[in-house]
Amino acid sequence: MADSAISIENLKDFVYSQFQDEEKWATNAKLLRAVGLFAGSIFLMRNFGDLMAI
């Protein structure tokens, strides 16, 4: 059980470091924006793709 607590602390430290470092946050923000755009385009094409058909 102690191993899981240590791994949770390591995970918290990793996430905190990703948010606090400016360079890492800039890269993560670009990645989040790209994933959001990709997921949004999939959502739109699945729901409204038939309207775009010729």
Side-chain angles (χ1 to χ4, degrees):
M1 194 66 160
D3 291 337
S4 66
I6 292 172
S7 65
I8 290 174
E9 286 297 321
N10 289 340
L11 182 62
K12 285 181 183 178
D13 292 339
F14 173 73
V15 170
Y16 184 75
S17 71
Q18 293 296 313
F19 285 123
Q20 295 302 318
D21 188 7
E22 292 293 327
E23 285 184 27
K24 289 181 183 176
W25 176 244
T27 303
N28 291 337
K30 288 178 186 176
L31 183 62
L32 285 171
R33 189 177 300 127
V35 168
L37 183 62
F38 182 71
S41 63
I42 289 174
F43 175 77
L44 285 174
M45 288 302 290
R46 288 187 62 113
N47 290 319
F48 305 109
D50 56 339
L51 297 175
M52 296 180 199
I54 294 176

